[in-house]
Amino acid sequence: MSIFSSIYLKILNWAESKHSVYYLSILSFIESNVLPYPPPDVLLAPMSLQKPKKAYQFALITTIFSVLGGIVGYFLGDFLLDILLNYHIIKEETVSDIATWFKDYGIYVVAIAAFSPLPFKLACISAGMLNMSFLPFVLISFISRGLRFFLVAFFIRLIGDEVDKLMRKYIDPIGYSLILVLVIYLLWP
């Protein structure tokens, strides 16, 4: 058995654990404010695959804890800004220029990062650093994260068995291909 098959089976075993909801909650919370952590989808999908009737419940738990973690990231960003300014790591003028841009477009940045594979934690920390309005930050985070995680649950319920069969068959070639693409990207001049 190859490494990616082993990892996939290990994650499926975690998903069956009686503590899996706690793992999912912790991963969802930490992923939104600490680097580097994988997105909660890596546990949400297998848990939904193992217990399809609870998929939407898992998506709700993931959304709530991800947004709570994002709130911590927001306040962490506010705290980090003071440190960066006090130690002259960044200039106040630069922050002011970026903050103006973020004030106009920040809600879109947070929405895209919350829904897409982009690191949500960076959007949360940036929102706090750049004083994005708190309530819109929380609302757009909740909506976008919820949409993402409920879509994962929906598709797992809809086509989960077929995806599981494909993953079991092709996980190793997919994993090695992704590593190859990453190495080529990093080494490309």
Side-chain angles (χ1 to χ4, degrees):
M1 183 181 305
S2 288
I3 188 168
F4 296 103
S5 295
S6 298
I7 292 170
Y8 182 66
L9 293 176
K10 182 82 166 171
I11 291 172
L12 286 176
N13 287 338
W14 285 345
E16 289 180 343
S17 163
K18 65 181 180 180
H19 303 292
S20 61
V21 172
Y22 301 113
Y23 299 150
L24 181 63
S25 301
I26 291 167
L27 177 62
S28 300
F29 181 84
I30 291 175
E31 180 271 339
S32 296
N33 56 58
V34 176
L35 292 170
Y37 264 86
D41 311 66
V42 300
L43 196 51
L44 171 62
M47 286 176 66
S48 298
L49 190 61
Q50 298 292 15
K51 298 175 184 171
K53 291 182 179 176
K54 291 189 170 190
Y56 296 124
Q57 179 184 347
F58 297 148
L60 180 62
I61 290 166
T62 305
T63 301
I64 290 169
F65 280 91
S66 180
V67 172
L68 289 173
I71 291 169
V72 170
Y74 179 95
F75 289 114
L76 180 65
D78 188 36
F79 173 74
L80 285 175
L81 180 62
D82 292 337
I83 292 171
L84 295 173
L85 288 172
N86 288 339
Y87 287 98
H88 306 291
I89 296 171
I90 57 174
K91 295 179 182 177
E92 200 166 320
E93 301 83 39
T94 304
V95 173
S96 178
D97 292 342
I98 296 171
T100 300
W101 181 85
F102 207 84
K103 185 175 183 178
D104 294 337
Y105 302 105
I107 198 162
Y108 303 110
V109 171
V110 172
I112 290 168
F115 184 77
S116 73
L118 295 173
F120 179 55
K121 64 190 108 296
L122 296 180
C124 296
I125 293 168
S126 298
M129 286 178 91
L130 301 171
N131 293 317
M132 179 179 176
S133 295
F134 183 70
L135 187 57
F137 165 77
V138 172
L139 290 175
I140 198 65
S141 294
F142 193 79
I143 291 167
S144 297
R145 288 308 256 186
L147 185 58
R148 173 182 172 165
F149 299 135
F150 276 87
L151 277 173
V152 169
F154 172 77
F155 282 114
I156 291 296
R157 283 191 61 147
L158 185 68
I159 57 171
D161 291 335
E162 291 82 17
V163 171
D164 183 45
K165 289 175 190 169
L166 288 171
M167 290 297 285
R168 289 176 189 269
K169 186 174 183 180
Y170 296 111
I171 188 71
D172 290 308
I174 291 169
Y176 291 123
S177 298
L178 288 173
I179 288 175
L180 180 63
V181 168
L182 180 63
V183 168
I184 290 170
Y185 173 77
L186 293 174
L187 296 176
W188 198 264

